[in-house]
């Protein structure tokens, strides 16, 4: 009896000890979980119940030089459908009939997409116009959830689209100014915490709190003038349509400062009909900056400036044009196969003679020629600050594959490649006193430290001021010294030079047989306020003097009048009080 009771007591004692040990272990674990590691587990619980999302800051506006907005941010709504509320097809169709017309879908399409899954929120539309979202809020649509957001708005429509660029669905800049200055425009993102359900979906009406406030991006003011830009784009579209050109580029610059007043290229894209899934991504580039081409006879102005600057020739210096230049086994002829006899340097530009350009380059010599090419900015990026600014292609006499033929063809702008922006910047130095200006498109930028204003920058003095004045006068005689020149502008003295080269760039960036017809002109000749480059691409042969010079003639008087430059001579009519 005692033995059984003793064994029972022993078992109870062991059991009690086991419970005691378990209690100690459990207590220790509770202390570990709730006190020692409490913060860790509370954080885990919060992370499971609350989600974290980055909030994009309000994006800065892009303005033209006069402060008119070209791209700005406006309030909008993202449209969500709570799938659980659309399980009943009748209710779903009734709600879809209200929502679908405002987001570009049919009711059946919307119901089909939303009901592909049973649970969670379906994003039906991103960036619905604010007023349309407000009207939806007043409707009784089962399952509808509207989340206030923002989107990019373009008050001037599709103006300057290739320059401005666009932002993606995450509101990050993808092309153009939007991409090149995304950090400045985009500001600093913030953080928001929100409640989510057991499977991680955001609870539509759950609580939210802001963890870090976003810092808005700054506005950017461009040197582009919306009025001039619209004139240029309209004229480019009209000329492409009337001439059958594949595309083209027009750039307008202030020669004294390097400020870009307008920049248009086609083919391009429309901001109002932007398709981010478009496989032809080449349309999104700014061809005036990114594409290189052989400038052709426009380059003869630079070659003439080199020889005049060194004192080797004057505008009246002559050579005997026999219609051909022989470089070893190669023969270079004038574009029209003409033979002109005794010819002056001015006539070389007026008649655009290849043989004359070869003579000038040979007179200058290869070493000096390529030094000037470098000083004119050819073969270097312009420093404009825009993406895709290329160096171009120049083979100098330091290259083991260079030959005398390269010097000859380079003298009239072939065998050398540069962007439209490089060419207009180089030629601008001939009408502003010989100074190579850095082209710029940013006038002012808002920063956390205050407004930063951009001023003209002189890169270098390329030629003497006297040389520049002499060549500018010769370019004036190229237009006004040739009767019926299609670049002439009634009421203004102007100067310019044509260019025509083989090869045309297609929309996808490839080059096919055809040619590039170009013209570069400035006005007024006595005190240039604008310099304009016109470049048109064709399948067939066209001359710059025939198709591109008239574009300058059409644009120049409107731009000059807008800038307050009055015409000269008998065209003026004055009235007294």
């Amino acid at each position: 009896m005692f033995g059984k009771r003793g064994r029972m007591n022993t078992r109870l004692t062991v059991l009690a000890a086991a419970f005691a040990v378990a209690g100690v272990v459990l207590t220790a674990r509770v202390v570990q979980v709730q006190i020692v590691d409490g913060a860790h587990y509370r954080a885990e619980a919060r992370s499971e119940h609350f989600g974290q999302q980055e909030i994009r800051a309000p994006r800065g506006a892009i303005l033209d030089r006069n402060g008119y907005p070209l791209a700005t941010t406006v309030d909008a709504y993202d449209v969500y459908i709570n799938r659980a509320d659309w399980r009943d097809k009748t209710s779903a169709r009734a709600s879809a009939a209200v929502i679908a017309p405002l987001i570009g879908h049919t009711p059946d399409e919307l119901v089909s997409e939303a009901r592909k899954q049973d649970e969670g929120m379906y994003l039906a539309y991103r960036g619905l116009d604010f007023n349309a979202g407000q009207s939806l809020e007043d409707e009784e649509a089962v399952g509808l959830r509207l989340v206030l957001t923002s989107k990019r708005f373009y008050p001037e429509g599709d103006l300057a689209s290739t320059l401005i660029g666009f932002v993606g669905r995450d509101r990050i800049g993808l092309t153009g100014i939007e991409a090149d200055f995304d950090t400045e425009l985009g500001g600093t993102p913030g953080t928001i915490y929100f409640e989510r359900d057991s499977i991680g979906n955001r609870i539509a009406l759950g609580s939210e709190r802001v963890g870090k406030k976003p810092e808005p991006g700054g506005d950017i003011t461009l040197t582009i003038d919306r009025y001039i830009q619209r004139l240029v784009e309209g004229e480019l579209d009209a000329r492409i349509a009337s001439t059958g050109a594949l595309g083209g580029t027009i750039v307008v610059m202030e020669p004294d400062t390097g400020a870009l007043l307008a920049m248009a290229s086609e083919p391009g894209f429309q901001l109002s009909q932007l398709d981010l899934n478009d496989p032809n991504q080449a349309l999104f580039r700014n061809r005036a900056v990114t594409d290189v081409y052989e400038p052709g006879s426009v380059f003869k102005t630079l070659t003439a400036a080199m020889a005049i600057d060194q004192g080797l020739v004057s505008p009246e210096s002559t050579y005997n044009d026999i219609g051909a230049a022989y470089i070893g086994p190669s023969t270079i002829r004038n574009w029209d196969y003409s033979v002109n006899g005794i010819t002056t340097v001015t006539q070389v530009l007026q008649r655009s003679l290849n043989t004359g350009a070869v003579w000038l380059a040979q007179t200058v010599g290869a070493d000096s020629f390529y030094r000037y090419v470098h000083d004119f900015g050819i073969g270097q990026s312009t420093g404009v600050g825009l993406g895709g600014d290329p160096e171009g292609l120049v083979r100098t006499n330091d290259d083991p594959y260079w030959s005398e033929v390269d010097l000859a063809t380079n003298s009239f702008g072939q065998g050398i490649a540069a962007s439209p922006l490089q060419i207009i910047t180089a030629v601008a130095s001939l009408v502003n006193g010989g100074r190579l200006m850095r082209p710029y498109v940013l006038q002012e930028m808002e920063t956390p430290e205050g407004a930063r204003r951009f001023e003209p920058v002189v890169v270098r003095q390329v030629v003497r001021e006297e040389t520049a004045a002499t060549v500018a006068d010769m370019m004036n005689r190229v237009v006004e010294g040739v009767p019926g020149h299609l670049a002439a502008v009634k009421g203004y003295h102007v100067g310019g030079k044509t260019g025509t080269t083989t090869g045309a760039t297609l929309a996808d960036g490839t080059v096919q047989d055809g040619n590039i017809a170009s013209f570069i002109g400035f006005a007024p000749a006595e005190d240039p306020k604008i310099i304009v480059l016109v470049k048109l691409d064709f399948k067939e042969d066209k001359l710059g003097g025939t198709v591109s010079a008239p574009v300058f003639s059409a644009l120049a008087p409107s731009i000059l009048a807008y800038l307050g430059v009055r015409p000269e001579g008998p065209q003026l009519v004055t009235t007294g009080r």
Side-chain angles (χ1 to χ4, degrees), residues 175-187:
T175 67
I177 295 289
E178 296 278 24
D180 296 332
F181 302 97
D182 182 66
T183 300
E184 293 79 4
L185 288 166

Side-chain angles (χ1 to χ4, degrees), residues 7 40 76 91 125 188 269 315 373 376 391 405 426 430 466 472 507 511 517:
R7 285 194 296 274
H40 169 73
S91 298
Y125 194 82
T188 304
F269 62 89
V373 167
F376 277 119
E391 292 183 350
V405 173
L430 302 179
E466 297 81 3
V511 177

Side-chain angles (χ1 to χ4, degrees), residues 181-201:
F181 302 97
D182 182 66
T183 300
E184 293 79 4
L185 288 166
T188 304
T191 306
I192 188 172
Y193 296 93
F194 57 87
E195 285 187 285
R196 57 186 184 182
D197 59 26
S198 59
I199 60 174
N201 291 321

Side-chain angles (χ1 to χ4, degrees), residues 283-425:
L283 294 176
F284 298 152
R285 71 182 186 270
N286 185 355
R287 297 166 187 271
V289 176
T290 63
D291 289 15
V292 297
Y293 71 111
E294 292 185 341
S297 295
V298 165
F299 205 87
K300 291 171 183 171
T301 60
L302 306 183
T303 302
M306 299 174 194
I308 292 171
D309 196 55
Q310 288 195 325
L312 300 172
V313 299
S314 72
E316 302 309 316
S317 296
T318 62
Y319 81 109
N320 183 25
D321 174 30
I322 61 173
Y326 300 100
I327 315 295
S330 302
T331 301
I332 294 175
R333 301 188 184 277
N334 291 321
W335 66 273
D336 58 354
Y337 296 94
S338 65
V339 177
N340 297 275
I342 302 302
T343 306
T344 68
V345 175
T346 298
Q347 289 171 333
V348 167
L349 296 186
Q350 287 177 323
R351 300 171 185 173
S352 198
L353 302 178
N354 295 340
T355 58
V358 174
W359 163 62
L360 289 170
Q362 290 174 335
T363 303
V364 169
D367 288 342
S368 293
F369 179 88
Y370 290 109
R371 175 175 59 80
Y372 276 108
V373 167
H374 172 272
D375 288 350
F376 277 119
I378 308 300
Q380 309 153 65
S381 59
T382 65
V384 70
L386 300 177
D389 184 14
E391 292 183 350
L393 300 171
V394 178
R395 182 159 63 188
T396 72
N397 57 333
D398 291 330
D399 191 300
Y401 296 102
W402 178 88
S403 72
E404 290 289 338
V405 173
D406 290 309
L407 176 63
T409 57
N410 291 170
S411 72
F412 51 87
Q414 294 191 13
I416 196 168
S419 69
L421 188 56
Q422 283 176 309
I423 295 301
I424 193 173
T425 302

